[in-house]
Amino acid sequence: MRIGTGYDVHKLVEGRKLILGGVEIPYSKGLLGHSDADVLIHSIMDSLLGAAALGDIGKHFPDTSEEYKGISSIKLLEEVKKIIEEEGYKIGNIDSTIIAQKPKLSNYIEQMRKNIAKALGIDVKYISIKATTEEGLGFTGKEEGISSQSVCLIF
């Protein structure tokens, strides 16, 4: 058994869609990034790659590559699943936290869990997603960005 952690952050900007866990969330701003900037999926991918000692998403999907410009992070997550399975690993479980002052995310978490479980080919009961604010503190509290932390178990 191996564990891995992942962290990602993206800046909130106008003119972009807000995608978290593969769900488009109605909001006045979205996350800036080369792909769809889904911080939740990015933190999960980094936790999985880290657990397998295979680097990070920048190594596998560089933001200098046109191939990944605007790509759905769910598609990248499916690729990470293939990468870790080629190394002989299976996913045990994933526990993630999204840190965002706004918008409220509770109505979207179940769909996020389903999207991630489907992409990874595992039962949704092995995917935990929580959301929290930082009570107005820091860049997330000031609504300048959104971050996510994830931990996973592979075996």
Side-chain angles (χ1 to χ4, degrees):
M1 285 192 200
R2 299 176 73 144
I3 61 167
T5 64
Y7 174 80
D8 196 43
V9 60
H10 284 275
K11 182 178 181 177
L12 279 166
V13 296
E14 293 183 9
R16 293 266 305 188
K17 293 179 181 179
L18 178 58
I19 310 289
L20 293 171
V23 177
E24 185 175 336
I25 298 167
Y27 193 57
S28 61
K29 296 180 181 179
L31 295 170
L32 182 63
H34 188 67
S35 66
D36 64 5
D38 187 329
V39 293
L40 173 59
I41 300 293
H42 293 184
S43 71
I44 290 170
M45 290 190 297
D46 270 348
S47 72
L48 291 166
L49 290 166
L54 295 172
D56 62 17
I57 59 174
K59 175 182 175 182
H60 295 272
F61 314 107
D63 65 5
T64 54
S65 172
E66 285 299 309
E67 177 182 1
Y68 305 117
K69 186 171 181 155
I71 194 167
S72 164
S73 294
I74 288 286
K75 291 183 190 277
L76 298 178
L77 183 60
E78 291 169 350
E79 290 302 311
V80 166
K81 175 188 184 261
K82 291 177 190 174
I83 292 167
I84 65 167
E85 284 181 345
E86 287 170 2
E87 295 293 319
Y89 294 108
K90 295 181 189 265
I91 299 165
N93 73 302
I94 296 168
D95 184 20
S96 300
T97 303
I98 305 165
I99 301 101
Q101 193 65 34
K102 288 182 183 174
K104 293 289 185 192
L105 300 173
S106 58
N107 291 337
Y108 306 100
I109 287 177
E110 284 310 307
Q111 187 59 53
M112 291 178 198
R113 292 179 66 220
K114 289 175 186 175
N115 292 348
I116 293 162
K118 181 179 177 187
L120 294 174
I122 62 176
D123 194 294
V124 71
K125 71 183 178 183
Y126 299 115
I127 307 293
S128 172
I129 300 171
K130 303 167 303 291
T132 190
T133 69
E134 289 193 297
E135 303 297 330
L137 300 173
F139 70 90
T140 56
K142 294 176 185 168
E143 300 174 45
E144 296 171 356
I146 294 177
S147 66
S148 179
Q149 299 177 9
S150 296
V151 62
C152 72
L153 174 73
I154 62 173
F155 57 94

